[in-house]
């Protein structure tokens, strides 16, 4: 069982970057979800509301990001002295804002007024201790530090789609940070913790999936195969604490270090029972 993909998504919901190696910190993968788009009131905006965000390219540069959309040019977005309390789900975060010029450009490109908010050294946010067991820092991710997915589980999902006359989907639909090559589908439902290169990662909560999995992650189009029906058939949570369909697990790192493609992941703690799922039919 080894790492076959490492990904970061510097701007939440925008296009990601693939890595061959990455540090691991208490916040997860450095550079992941360090910025996000917000409306004028500070409410976060994602592909859920605005699929066109999938077309936004992001390249780290000069302490900020070089942002671009094909055919529309590019703009350098840097943190300014302006700040705003921004909201991501139930969290409010004191964030730095990009310059007015960068915000105007993004608003023009994406067709509505918005600002780019940066998670900087003054920004603080904690993951839900009900699941992590203690207070752990997190940036603008949906809730936890790292998302892991496995190749065998994607294969099983696609096999169900094929059996129902539906076309398959790629791993990019699920926007994981770490992809593990595995042989047994849904084995991760029994893992309590894994070790990669001497770093322990606790699997703290399964990941509920939303409409973003139905969108092409290059174009934002929803006129593409959707995995939602298949997940509804085989991955519907039976635990009321986490309602909905599931794919992938949220990880909280319990150490620091470096991981890279090809590193072996070992299960170091198992759950007594797999996460409960509703039966088909």
């Amino acid at each position: 069982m080894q790492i076959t993909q490492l990904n970061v998504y510097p701007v939440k919901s925008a296009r990601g970057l693939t890595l061959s190696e990455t540090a691991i910190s208490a916040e997860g993968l450095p550079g992941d979800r360090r910025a996000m788009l917000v409306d004028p009131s500070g409410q976060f905006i994602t592909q859920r509301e605005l699929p066109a965000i999938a077309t936004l390219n992001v390249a780290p540069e000069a302490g900020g990001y070089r942002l671009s959309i094909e055919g529309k040019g590019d703009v350098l977005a840097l943190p300014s002295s302006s700040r705003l309390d921004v909201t991501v789900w139930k969290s409010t975060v004191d964030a730095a804002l990009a310059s007015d010029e960068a915000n105007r450009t993004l608003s023009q490109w994406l067709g509505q007024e918005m600002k780019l908010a940066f998670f900087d050294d003054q920004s603080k946010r904690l993951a839900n201790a009900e699941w992590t067991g203690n207070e752990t820092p997190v940036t603008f991710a949906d809730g936890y530090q790292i998302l892991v997915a496995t190749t065998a589980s994607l294969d099983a999902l696609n096999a169900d789609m094929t059996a129902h006359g539906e076309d398959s989907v790629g791993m990019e639909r699920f926007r994981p940070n770490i992809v593990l090559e595995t042989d047994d589908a849904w084995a991760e439902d029994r893992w309590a913790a894994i070790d990669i290169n001497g770093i322990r990662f606790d699997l703290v909560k399964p990941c509920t999936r939303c409409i973003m999995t139905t969108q092409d992650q290059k174009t934002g189009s929803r006129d593409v195969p959707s995995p939602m029906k298949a997940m509804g058939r085989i991955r519907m949570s039976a635990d009321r604490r986490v309602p909905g369909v599931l794919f992938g697990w949220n990880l909280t790192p319990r150490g620091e270090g470096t991981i890279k493609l090809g590193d072996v992941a070992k299960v170091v703690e198992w759950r007594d029972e797999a996460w409960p799922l509703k039966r088909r039919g």
Side-chain angles (χ1 to χ4, degrees):
M1 188 165 70
Q2 64 182 14
I3 297 175
T4 57
Q5 287 185 37
L6 291 169
N7 305 297
V8 292
Y9 306 89
V11 175
K12 186 177 180 69
S13 250
R15 292 180 178 177
L17 303 174
T18 60
L19 308 174
S20 59
E21 182 176 338
T22 181
I24 297 294
S25 71
E27 292 178 337
L29 280 66
D32 190 51
R33 276 90 171 190
R34 300 292 305 193
M36 70 177 180
L37 296 165
V38 300
D39 68 17
S41 72
Q43 179 69 27
F44 77 125
I45 305 170
T46 70
Q47 288 184 40
R48 299 172 184 88
E49 304 82 31
L50 190 60
I53 297 175
T55 65
L56 184 63
N57 295 302
V58 183
E61 183 177 328
Y65 304 109
R66 176 71 62 180
L67 306 176
S68 63
I69 293 179
E70 283 83 354
K72 296 186 177 182
D74 63 81
V75 65
L76 179 61
L78 302 171
S80 73
S81 59
S82 297
R83 304 191 70 82
L84 181 68
D85 283 345
V86 301
T87 302
V88 51
W89 298 115
K90 295 181 179 180
S91 301
T92 299
V93 179
D94 173 23
L97 296 178
S99 67
D100 290 343
E101 177 187 0
N103 291 331
R104 281 194 300 270
T105 299
L106 287 166
S107 299
Q108 291 168 358
W109 285 351
L110 295 169
Q112 67 182 67
E113 187 176 358
M114 63 182 61
K115 302 176 186 294
L116 184 68
F118 289 86
F119 196 103
D120 64 6
D121 291 341
Q122 295 184 51
S123 304
K124 306 295 179 187
R125 184 179 177 222
L126 298 174
N128 188 343
E130 178 183 351
W131 293 96
T132 63
N134 61 340
E135 293 187 346
T136 57
V138 66
T139 57
F140 286 141
D142 274 353
Y144 301 90
Q145 293 83 359
I146 298 170
L147 180 66
V148 67
T150 69
T151 57
S153 295
L154 179 64
D155 290 344
L157 182 68
N158 280 326
D160 183 86
M161 294 178 71
T162 299
H164 287 82
E166 300 160 4
D167 290 336
S168 61
V169 297
M171 187 65 84
E172 75 282 352
R173 293 289 190 90
F174 303 97
R175 297 173 67 86
N177 296 114
I178 299 174
V179 176
L180 296 177
E181 184 177 36
T182 54
D183 295 324
D184 299 325
W186 319 120
E188 58 270 28
D189 286 348
R190 284 284 315 278
W191 304 344
I194 59 175
D195 178 283
I196 305 174
N197 200 25
I199 307 168
R200 178 185 171 108
F201 299 85
D202 287 346
L203 283 79
V204 296
K205 187 180 182 184
C207 185
T208 54
R209 309 314 306 216
C210 68
I211 196 171
M212 279 182 60
T213 64
T214 72
Q215 296 167 189
D216 186 289
Q217 288 301 301
K218 288 294 185 182
T219 67
S221 172
R222 292 177 182 168
D223 188 22
V224 289
S226 167
M228 290 296 285
K229 289 183 179 180
M231 289 190 289
R233 289 189 291 264
I234 64 175
R235 294 295 296 169
M236 183 66 71
S237 175
D239 188 322
R240 293 181 180 179
R241 297 174 301 164
V242 187
V245 296
L246 309 176
F247 189 91
W249 274 80
N250 292 294
L251 305 183
T252 294
R254 302 302 186 182
E256 298 187 349
T258 302
I259 62 174
K260 63 183 184 300
L261 296 180
D263 277 352
V264 173
K266 298 174 290 185
V267 181
V268 294
E269 186 176 339
W270 295 85
R271 302 181 191 280
D272 292 335
E273 296 181 353
W275 189 267
L277 298 172
K278 293 182 179 179
R279 294 178 180 272
R280 293 193 207 208

